[in-house]
Amino acid sequence: MVLEQVLEQSGLRKDYEYHSQVNLTQTDGKRLQPDVVIHMPENKDVVVDAKVTLVAYEQYQNAEDDAQRSSALADHLASVKAHIKAISEKYILEGTTADGAIMFLPSEAVYAELHSNFPELIREGFEARVWIVSPTTCMATLNTMRAILKDARMREQAGAIRTALRQLHRDVELVVDRVDKLNTHFNQARKDIE
């Protein structure tokens, strides 16, 4: 699968930063299984769905006449539109996932055709909070997500370092206090000896 190859090349770590075939539960209790869930900070998982079919697009490309081409194109656009709606309704779950999802198209040609000839469909995806990506744009999106994850880990580590430094500072203050008390005892012992 093309999406798996893109994920492997992205540098995201499987089973830590993303999972394949994860179960999500909708508020009505219905269980769903998106293709990929990318774990982002603050429990805002991003769903990636790659189930869009390109059969109608292939029929459009292989059509022998204008009628077949027109019919196949209409079927393809209807399929993409239905898939945008399904992703928006199924995979954008308040409090469970991020407020947007990704629709992965395994073909640069299909992606380019949608963007250049059907911008209203792309806008419809944006309005439904479904971002359509190709292998190339998916890689760029995943690299951005990886940078966000790295930044979040660095902030967590910086917080842990600050906590450790505060504790170290407190321990140093205790040592200084004990050294002062020990110095007082030594001074008293010296006076007693004198």
Side-chain angles (χ1 to χ4, degrees), residues 46-49 87-88 91-92 97-103 125 128-132:
V46 176
V47 173
V48 181
D49 187 277
I87 291 170
S88 176
Y91 296 135
I92 300 174
T97 64
D99 59 358
I102 296 173
M103 184 173 109
R129 298 175 298 164
V130 175
W131 296 279
I132 301 171

mmCIF file with all atom_site columns, all heavy atoms in Angstrom, residues 46-49 87-88 91-92 97-103 125 128-132:
data_model
loop_
_atom_site.group_PDB
_atom_site.id
_atom_site.type_symbol
_atom_site.label_atom_id
_atom_site.label_alt_id
_atom_site.label_comp_id
_atom_site.label_asym_id
_atom_site.label_entity_id
_atom_site.label_seq_id
_atom_site.pdbx_PDB_ins_code
_atom_site.Cartn_x
_atom_site.Cartn_y
_atom_site.Cartn_z
_atom_site.occupancy
_atom_site.B_iso_or_equiv
_atom_site.pdbx_formal_charge
_atom_site.auth_seq_id
_atom_site.auth_comp_id
_atom_site.auth_asym_id
_atom_site.auth_atom_id
_atom_site.pdbx_PDB_model_num
ATOM 1   N N   . VAL A 1 46  ? -4.935  12.502 14.742 1.00 0.00 ? 46  VAL A N   1
ATOM 2   C CA  . VAL A 1 46  ? -5.323  12.834 13.372 1.00 0.00 ? 46  VAL A CA  1
ATOM 3   C C   . VAL A 1 46  ? -5.559  11.530 12.628 1.00 0.00 ? 46  VAL A C   1
ATOM 4   O O   . VAL A 1 46  ? -4.692  10.661 12.575 1.00 0.00 ? 46  VAL A O   1
ATOM 5   C CB  . VAL A 1 46  ? -4.228  13.661 12.665 1.00 0.00 ? 46  VAL A CB  1
ATOM 6   C CG1 . VAL A 1 46  ? -4.601  13.921 11.210 1.00 0.00 ? 46  VAL A CG1 1
ATOM 7   C CG2 . VAL A 1 46  ? -3.992  14.976 13.394 1.00 0.00 ? 46  VAL A CG2 1
ATOM 8   N N   . VAL A 1 47  ? -6.752  11.409 12.049 1.00 0.00 ? 47  VAL A N   1
ATOM 9   C CA  . VAL A 1 47  ? -7.117  10.216 11.301 1.00 0.00 ? 47  VAL A CA  1
ATOM 10  C C   . VAL A 1 47  ? -6.720  10.396 9.838  1.00 0.00 ? 47  VAL A C   1
ATOM 11  O O   . VAL A 1 47  ? -6.957  11.443 9.246  1.00 0.00 ? 47  VAL A O   1
ATOM 12  C CB  . VAL A 1 47  ? -8.635  9.949  11.419 1.00 0.00 ? 47  VAL A CB  1
ATOM 13  C CG1 . VAL A 1 47  ? -9.056  8.814  10.503 1.00 0.00 ? 47  VAL A CG1 1
ATOM 14  C CG2 . VAL A 1 47  ? -9.007  9.640  12.860 1.00 0.00 ? 47  VAL A CG2 1
ATOM 15  N N   . VAL A 1 48  ? -6.109  9.346  9.284  1.00 0.00 ? 48  VAL A N   1
ATOM 16  C CA  . VAL A 1 48  ? -5.783  9.314  7.861  1.00 0.00 ? 48  VAL A CA  1
ATOM 17  C C   . VAL A 1 48  ? -6.575  8.161  7.254  1.00 0.00 ? 48  VAL A C   1
ATOM 18  O O   . VAL A 1 48  ? -6.458  7.023  7.698  1.00 0.00 ? 48  VAL A O   1
ATOM 19  C CB  . VAL A 1 48  ? -4.282  9.088  7.613  1.00 0.00 ? 48  VAL A CB  1
ATOM 20  C CG1 . VAL A 1 48  ? -3.982  9.087  6.110  1.00 0.00 ? 48  VAL A CG1 1
ATOM 21  C CG2 . VAL A 1 48  ? -3.448  10.147 8.328  1.00 0.00 ? 48  VAL A CG2 1
ATOM 22  N N   . ASP A 1 49  ? -7.397  8.481  6.260  1.00 0.00 ? 49  ASP A N   1
ATOM 23  C CA  . ASP A 1 49  ? -8.202  7.457  5.610  1.00 0.00 ? 49  ASP A CA  1
ATOM 24  C C   . ASP A 1 49  ? -7.749  7.323  4.161  1.00 0.00 ? 49  ASP A C   1
ATOM 25  O O   . ASP A 1 49  ? -7.650  8.313  3.450  1.00 0.00 ? 49  ASP A O   1
ATOM 26  C CB  . ASP A 1 49  ? -9.681  7.822  5.674  1.00 0.00 ? 49  ASP A CB  1
ATOM 27  C CG  . ASP A 1 49  ? -10.539 6.694  5.164  1.00 0.00 ? 49  ASP A CG  1
ATOM 28  O OD1 . ASP A 1 49  ? -10.718 6.589  3.925  1.00 0.00 ? 49  ASP A OD1 1
ATOM 29  O OD2 . ASP A 1 49  ? -11.032 5.911  5.993  1.00 0.00 ? 49  ASP A OD2 1
ATOM 30  N N   . ILE A 1 87  ? -15.734 10.669 5.787  1.00 0.00 ? 87  ILE A N   1
ATOM 31  C CA  . ILE A 1 87  ? -14.596 10.922 6.681  1.00 0.00 ? 87  ILE A CA  1
ATOM 32  C C   . ILE A 1 87  ? -14.966 11.976 7.706  1.00 0.00 ? 87  ILE A C   1
ATOM 33  O O   . ILE A 1 87  ? -14.700 11.830 8.901  1.00 0.00 ? 87  ILE A O   1
ATOM 34  C CB  . ILE A 1 87  ? -13.345 11.354 5.878  1.00 0.00 ? 87  ILE A CB  1
ATOM 35  C CG1 . ILE A 1 87  ? -12.820 10.184 5.066  1.00 0.00 ? 87  ILE A CG1 1
ATOM 36  C CG2 . ILE A 1 87  ? -12.259 11.888 6.809  1.00 0.00 ? 87  ILE A CG2 1
ATOM 37  C CD1 . ILE A 1 87  ? -11.741 10.568 4.067  1.00 0.00 ? 87  ILE A CD1 1
ATOM 38  N N   . SER A 1 88  ? -15.598 13.044 7.244  1.00 0.00 ? 88  SER A N   1
ATOM 39  C CA  . SER A 1 88  ? -15.981 14.140 8.142  1.00 0.00 ? 88  SER A CA  1
ATOM 40  C C   . SER A 1 88  ? -16.938 13.658 9.229  1.00 0.00 ? 88  SER A C   1
ATOM 41  O O   . SER A 1 88  ? -16.793 14.008 10.397 1.00 0.00 ? 88  SER A O   1
ATOM 42  C CB  . SER A 1 88  ? -16.621 15.263 7.328  1.00 0.00 ? 88  SER A CB  1
ATOM 43  O OG  . SER A 1 88  ? -17.072 16.290 8.172  1.00 0.00 ? 88  SER A OG  1
ATOM 44  N N   . TYR A 1 91  ? -14.904 10.274 11.276 1.00 0.00 ? 91  TYR A N   1
ATOM 45  C CA  . TYR A 1 91  ? -13.581 10.320 11.890 1.00 0.00 ? 91  TYR A CA  1
ATOM 46  C C   . TYR A 1 91  ? -13.209 11.628 12.569 1.00 0.00 ? 91  TYR A C   1
ATOM 47  O O   . TYR A 1 91  ? -12.113 11.748 13.096 1.00 0.00 ? 91  TYR A O   1
ATOM 48  C CB  . TYR A 1 91  ? -12.510 9.967  10.866 1.00 0.00 ? 91  TYR A CB  1
ATOM 49  C CG  . TYR A 1 91  ? -12.631 8.554  10.352 1.00 0.00 ? 91  TYR A CG  1
ATOM 50  C CD1 . TYR A 1 91  ? -12.521 8.282  8.988  1.00 0.00 ? 91  TYR A CD1 1
ATOM 51  C CD2 . TYR A 1 91  ? -12.843 7.484  11.201 1.00 0.00 ? 91  TYR A CD2 1
ATOM 52  C CE1 . TYR A 1 91  ? -12.618 6.994  8.511  1.00 0.00 ? 91  TYR A CE1 1
ATOM 53  C CE2 . TYR A 1 91  ? -12.952 6.194  10.737 1.00 0.00 ? 91  TYR A CE2 1
ATOM 54  C CZ  . TYR A 1 91  ? -12.833 5.951  9.393  1.00 0.00 ? 91  TYR A CZ  1
ATOM 55  O OH  . TYR A 1 91  ? -12.927 4.676  8.925  1.00 0.00 ? 91  TYR A OH  1
ATOM 56  N N   . ILE A 1 92  ? -14.075 12.599 12.537 1.00 0.00 ? 92  ILE A N   1
ATOM 57  C CA  . ILE A 1 92  ? -13.809 13.828 13.289 1.00 0.00 ? 92  ILE A CA  1
ATOM 58  C C   . ILE A 1 92  ? -14.727 13.771 14.510 1.00 0.00 ? 92  ILE A C   1
ATOM 59  O O   . ILE A 1 92  ? -15.909 14.083 14.436 1.00 0.00 ? 92  ILE A O   1
ATOM 60  C CB  . ILE A 1 92  ? -14.051 15.091 12.428 1.00 0.00 ? 92  ILE A CB  1
ATOM 61  C CG1 . ILE A 1 92  ? -13.126 15.049 11.210 1.00 0.00 ? 92  ILE A CG1 1
ATOM 62  C CG2 . ILE A 1 92  ? -13.806 16.344 13.251 1.00 0.00 ? 92  ILE A CG2 1
ATOM 63  C CD1 . ILE A 1 92  ? -13.355 16.161 10.207 1.00 0.00 ? 92  ILE A CD1 1
ATOM 64  N N   . THR A 1 97  ? -10.624 12.994 18.549 1.00 0.00 ? 97  THR A N   1
ATOM 65  C CA  . THR A 1 97  ? -9.669  13.214 17.459 1.00 0.00 ? 97  THR A CA  1
ATOM 66  C C   . THR A 1 97  ? -9.478  14.712 17.253 1.00 0.00 ? 97  THR A C   1
ATOM 67  O O   . THR A 1 97  ? -10.182 15.529 17.838 1.00 0.00 ? 97  THR A O   1
ATOM 68  C CB  . THR A 1 97  ? -10.185 12.602 16.140 1.00 0.00 ? 97  THR A CB  1
ATOM 69  O OG1 . THR A 1 97  ? -11.378 13.275 15.737 1.00 0.00 ? 97  THR A OG1 1
ATOM 70  C CG2 . THR A 1 97  ? -10.443 11.115 16.272 1.00 0.00 ? 97  THR A CG2 1
ATOM 71  N N   . ALA A 1 98  ? -8.532  15.032 16.374 1.00 0.00 ? 98  ALA A N   1
ATOM 72  C CA  . ALA A 1 98  ? -8.322  16.426 15.996 1.00 0.00 ? 98  ALA A CA  1
ATOM 73  C C   . ALA A 1 98  ? -9.561  16.923 15.258 1.00 0.00 ? 98  ALA A C   1
ATOM 74  O O   . ALA A 1 98  ? -10.420 16.134 14.851 1.00 0.00 ? 98  ALA A O   1
ATOM 75  C CB  . ALA A 1 98  ? -7.091  16.534 15.094 1.00 0.00 ? 98  ALA A CB  1
ATOM 76  N N   . ASP A 1 99  ? -9.644  18.225 15.073 1.00 0.00 ? 99  ASP A N   1
ATOM 77  C CA  . ASP A 1 99  ? -10.831 18.776 14.418 1.00 0.00 ? 99  ASP A CA  1
ATOM 78  C C   . ASP A 1 99  ? -10.710 18.768 12.895 1.00 0.00 ? 99  ASP A C   1
ATOM 79  O O   . ASP A 1 99  ? -11.374 19.519 12.195 1.00 0.00 ? 99  ASP A O   1
ATOM 80  C CB  . ASP A 1 99  ? -11.149 20.173 14.937 1.00 0.00 ? 99  ASP A CB  1
ATOM 81  C CG  . ASP A 1 99  ? -10.017 21.153 14.716 1.00 0.00 ? 99  ASP A CG  1
ATOM 82  O OD1 . ASP A 1 99  ? -8.965  20.742 14.199 1.00 0.00 ? 99  ASP A OD1 1
ATOM 83  O OD2 . ASP A 1 99  ? -10.186 22.325 15.057 1.00 0.00 ? 99  ASP A OD2 1
ATOM 84  N N   . GLY A 1 100 ? -9.899  17.879 12.379 1.00 0.00 ? 100 GLY A N   1
ATOM 85  C CA  . GLY A 1 100 ? -9.769  17.671 10.945 1.00 0.00 ? 100 GLY A CA  1
ATOM 86  C C   . GLY A 1 100 ? -9.216  16.288 10.697 1.00 0.00 ? 100 GLY A C   1
ATOM 87  O O   . GLY A 1 100 ? -8.654  15.661 11.594 1.00 0.00 ? 100 GLY A O   1
ATOM 88  N N   . ALA A 1 101 ? -9.394  15.792 9.478  1.00 0.00 ? 101 ALA A N   1
ATOM 89  C CA  . ALA A 1 101 ? -8.894  14.471 9.110  1.00 0.00 ? 101 ALA A CA  1
ATOM 90  C C   . ALA A 1 101 ? -8.254  14.563 7.728  1.00 0.00 ? 101 ALA A C   1
ATOM 91  O O   . ALA A 1 101 ? -8.432  15.545 7.018  1.00 0.00 ? 101 ALA A O   1
ATOM 92  C CB  . ALA A 1 101 ? -10.034 13.455 9.115  1.00 0.00 ? 101 ALA A CB  1
ATOM 93  N N   . ILE A 1 102 ? -7.526  13.522 7.370  1.00 0.00 ? 102 ILE A N   1
ATOM 94  C CA  . ILE A 1 102 ? -6.806  13.499 6.104  1.00 0.00 ? 102 ILE A CA  1
ATOM 95  C C   . ILE A 1 102 ? -7.365  12.396 5.216  1.00 0.00 ? 102 ILE A C   1
ATOM 96  O O   . ILE A 1 102 ? -7.549  11.261 5.651  1.00 0.00 ? 102 ILE A O   1
ATOM 97  C CB  . ILE A 1 102 ? -5.300  13.258 6.342  1.00 0.00 ? 102 ILE A CB  1
ATOM 98  C CG1 . ILE A 1 102 ? -4.707  14.437 7.123  1.00 0.00 ? 102 ILE A CG1 1
ATOM 99  C CG2 . ILE A 1 102 ? -4.565  13.051 5.024  1.00 0.00 ? 102 ILE A CG2 1
ATOM 100 C CD1 . ILE A 1 102 ? -3.269  14.229 7.559  1.00 0.00 ? 102 ILE A CD1 1
ATOM 101 N N   . MET A 1 103 ? -7.637  12.766 3.961  1.00 0.00 ? 103 MET A N   1
ATOM 102 C CA  . MET A 1 103 ? -8.049  11.790 2.948  1.00 0.00 ? 103 MET A CA  1
ATOM 103 C C   . MET A 1 103 ? -6.855  11.573 2.022  1.00 0.00 ? 103 MET A C   1
ATOM 104 O O   . MET A 1 103 ? -6.423  12.497 1.332  1.00 0.00 ? 103 MET A O   1
ATOM 105 C CB  . MET A 1 103 ? -9.251  12.299 2.157  1.00 0.00 ? 103 MET A CB  1
ATOM 106 C CG  . MET A 1 103 ? -9.771  11.304 1.160  1.00 0.00 ? 103 MET A CG  1
ATOM 107 S SD  . MET A 1 103 ? -11.315 11.882 0.412  1.00 0.00 ? 103 MET A SD  1
ATOM 108 C CE  . MET A 1 103 ? -10.742 12.248 -1.224 1.00 0.00 ? 103 MET A CE  1
ATOM 109 N N   . GLY A 1 125 ? -13.956 19.936 0.681  1.00 0.00 ? 125 GLY A N   1
ATOM 110 C CA  . GLY A 1 125 ? -13.175 19.155 1.647  1.00 0.00 ? 125 GLY A CA  1
ATOM 111 C C   . GLY A 1 125 ? -12.702 20.026 2.795  1.00 0.00 ? 125 GLY A C   1
ATOM 112 O O   . GLY A 1 125 ? -12.807 19.646 3.962  1.00 0.00 ? 125 GLY A O   1
ATOM 113 N N   . ALA A 1 128 ? -15.444 20.790 5.130  1.00 0.00 ? 128 ALA A N   1
ATOM 114 C CA  . ALA A 1 128 ? -15.781 19.610 5.939  1.00 0.00 ? 128 ALA A CA  1
ATOM 115 C C   . ALA A 1 128 ? -14.630 19.223 6.864  1.00 0.00 ? 128 ALA A C   1
ATOM 116 O O   . ALA A 1 128 ? -14.723 18.244 7.591  1.00 0.00 ? 128 ALA A O   1
ATOM 117 C CB  . ALA A 1 128 ? -16.136 18.442 5.023  1.00 0.00 ? 128 ALA A CB  1
ATOM 118 N N   . ARG A 1 129 ? -13.527 19.997 6.819  1.00 0.00 ? 129 ARG A N   1
ATOM 119 C CA  . ARG A 1 129 ? -12.326 19.767 7.613  1.00 0.00 ? 129 ARG A CA  1
ATOM 120 C C   . ARG A 1 129 ? -11.643 18.446 7.252  1.00 0.00 ? 129 ARG A C   1
ATOM 121 O O   . ARG A 1 129 ? -11.116 17.740 8.097  1.00 0.00 ? 129 ARG A O   1
ATOM 122 C CB  . ARG A 1 129 ? -12.624 19.848 9.104  1.00 0.00 ? 129 ARG A CB  1
ATOM 123 C CG  . ARG A 1 129 ? -13.123 21.228 9.508  1.00 0.00 ? 129 ARG A CG  1
ATOM 124 C CD  . ARG A 1 129 ? -13.533 21.297 10.918 1.00 0.00 ? 129 ARG A CD  1
ATOM 125 N NE  . ARG A 1 129 ? -14.658 20.357 11.112 1.00 0.00 ? 129 ARG A NE  1
ATOM 126 C CZ  . ARG A 1 129 ? -15.086 19.924 12.272 1.00 0.00 ? 129 ARG A CZ  1
ATOM 127 N NH1 . ARG A 1 129 ? -14.531 20.339 13.360 1.00 0.00 ? 129 ARG A NH1 1
ATOM 128 N NH2 . ARG A 1 129 ? -16.088 19.079 12.369 1.00 0.00 ? 129 ARG A NH2 1
ATOM 129 N N   . VAL A 1 130 ? -11.685 18.131 5.953  1.00 0.00 ? 130 VAL A N   1
ATOM 130 C CA  . VAL A 1 130 ? -11.016 16.955 5.413  1.00 0.00 ? 130 VAL A CA  1
ATOM 131 C C   . VAL A 1 130 ? -10.000 17.453 4.402  1.00 0.00 ? 130 VAL A C   1
ATOM 132 O O   . VAL A 1 130 ? -10.348 18.083 3.408  1.00 0.00 ? 130 VAL A O   1
ATOM 133 C CB  . VAL A 1 130 ? -12.016 15.993 4.739  1.00 0.00 ? 130 VAL A CB  1
ATOM 134 C CG1 . VAL A 1 130 ? -11.287 14.838 4.069  1.00 0.00 ? 130 VAL A CG1 1
ATOM 135 C CG2 . VAL A 1 130 ? -13.027 15.478 5.751  1.00 0.00 ? 130 VAL A CG2 1
ATOM 136 N N   . TRP A 1 131 ? -8.719  17.180 4.688  1.00 0.00 ? 131 TRP A N   1
ATOM 137 C CA  . TRP A 1 131 ? -7.652  17.643 3.816  1.00 0.00 ? 131 TRP A CA  1
ATOM 138 C C   . TRP A 1 131 ? -7.242  16.506 2.897  1.00 0.00 ? 131 TRP A C   1
ATOM 139 O O   . TRP A 1 131 ? -6.854  15.425 3.354  1.00 0.00 ? 131 TRP A O   1
ATOM 140 C CB  . TRP A 1 131 ? -6.468  18.146 4.632  1.00 0.00 ? 131 TRP A CB  1
ATOM 141 C CG  . TRP A 1 131 ? -6.880  19.339 5.432  1.00 0.00 ? 131 TRP A CG  1
ATOM 142 C CD1 . TRP A 1 131 ? -6.972  20.632 4.997  1.00 0.00 ? 131 TRP A CD1 1
ATOM 143 C CD2 . TRP A 1 131 ? -7.325  19.353 6.782  1.00 0.00 ? 131 TRP A CD2 1
ATOM 144 N NE1 . TRP A 1 131 ? -7.439  21.442 6.011  1.00 0.00 ? 131 TRP A NE1 1
ATOM 145 C CE2 . TRP A 1 131 ? -7.662  20.680 7.120  1.00 0.00 ? 131 TRP A CE2 1
ATOM 146 C CE3 . TRP A 1 131 ? -7.483  18.372 7.759  1.00 0.00 ? 131 TRP A CE3 1
ATOM 147 C CZ2 . TRP A 1 131 ? -8.128  21.053 8.368  1.00 0.00 ? 131 TRP A CZ2 1
ATOM 148 C CZ3 . TRP A 1 131 ? -7.956  18.736 9.005  1.00 0.00 ? 131 TRP A CZ3 1
ATOM 149 C CH2 . TRP A 1 131 ? -8.272  20.064 9.294  1.00 0.00 ? 131 TRP A CH2 1
ATOM 150 N N   . ILE A 1 132 ? -7.324  16.769 1.605  1.00 0.00 ? 132 ILE A N   1
ATOM 151 C CA  . ILE A 1 132 ? -6.989  15.767 0.598  1.00 0.00 ? 132 ILE A CA  1
ATOM 152 C C   . ILE A 1 132 ? -5.494  15.873 0.310  1.00 0.00 ? 132 ILE A C   1
ATOM 153 O O   . ILE A 1 132 ? -4.987  16.961 0.034  1.00 0.00 ? 132 ILE A O   1
ATOM 154 C CB  . ILE A 1 132 ? -7.811  15.996 -0.679 1.00 0.00 ? 132 ILE A CB  1
ATOM 155 C CG1 . ILE A 1 132 ? -9.313  15.914 -0.349 1.00 0.00 ? 132 ILE A CG1 1
ATOM 156 C CG2 . ILE A 1 132 ? -7.430  14.978 -1.747 1.00 0.00 ? 132 ILE A CG2 1
ATOM 157 C CD1 . ILE A 1 132 ? -10.224 16.330 -1.480 1.00 0.00 ? 132 ILE A CD1 1
#
